[in-house]
Amino acid sequence: MNEIKQIQAKGKYIRLSTQKTRRILNQIRGKKYQDASLILEFMPYKPSKVIKKILEAAGNTASNLKYEKQHLIIRQAFANEGPRLKRFQPRAQGRAFKIQKPTCHITIQLTLQ
């Protein structure tokens, strides 16, 4: 009996907003591997390049396990919040404004069609 594996790839501590990343992941969830790759190729947003790299990593893992890429579907794609980088911006009269730079963890899971 050939059991279907869940192929997974993660990107951690990526300097992107979780909200903006989720907007792109919602577009590719449930799509075929090649369709999702094509969608990400032509999206004008910054997170799409990073997501495409993570998707390719999952696809390469699948091909190492002898699965064909044209039979793969994106089962899950989600982004969780990572730790925030805390910085301070000097302002007038000795004040300081806090700047929080967000990070996120992106997970993409593939299955066979």
Side-chain angles (χ1 to χ4, degrees):
M1 187 167 122
N2 191 4
E3 188 177 319
I4 298 171
K5 290 192 177 185
Q6 303 295 324
I7 296 107
Q8 185 170 313
K10 289 183 182 182
K12 294 183 126 192
Y13 304 103
I14 299 168
R15 267 286 289 119
L16 296 169
S17 167
T18 310
Q19 224 174 353
K20 293 174 185 176
T21 305
R22 283 181 186 147
R23 186 177 64 180
I24 295 167
L25 289 172
N26 290 338
Q27 296 293 316
I28 66 165
R29 191 176 297 119
K31 300 262 194 295
K32 292 181 179 178
Y33 174 85
Q34 291 173 334
D35 294 343
S37 183
L38 197 63
I39 289 168
L40 292 171
E41 181 82 30
F42 294 106
M43 271 192 169
Y45 308 114
K46 182 183 173 185
S48 60
K49 285 184 180 179
V50 177
I51 293 170
K52 189 169 188 301
K53 277 189 173 184
I54 296 169
L55 181 64
E56 286 173 358
N60 291 335
T61 303
S63 63
N64 287 344
L65 295 171
K66 306 292 189 254
Y67 294 122
E68 292 183 29
K69 289 184 181 179
Q70 63 260 25
H71 298 303
L72 296 174
I73 288 181
I74 298 172
R75 184 171 163 265
Q76 279 189 328
F78 58 90
N80 293 327
E81 279 190 30
R84 294 181 178 269
L85 302 174
K86 292 164 179 81
R87 303 289 182 261
F88 288 96
Q89 175 75 33
R91 301 301 292 213
Q93 299 179 358
R95 294 188 179 98
F97 279 9
K98 194 170 167 182
I99 296 174
Q100 294 189 354
K101 298 185 175 190
T103 62
C104 69
H105 306 311
I106 301 171
T107 306
I108 295 178
Q109 212 172 60
L110 304 174
T111 56
L112 282 176
Q113 196 169 7

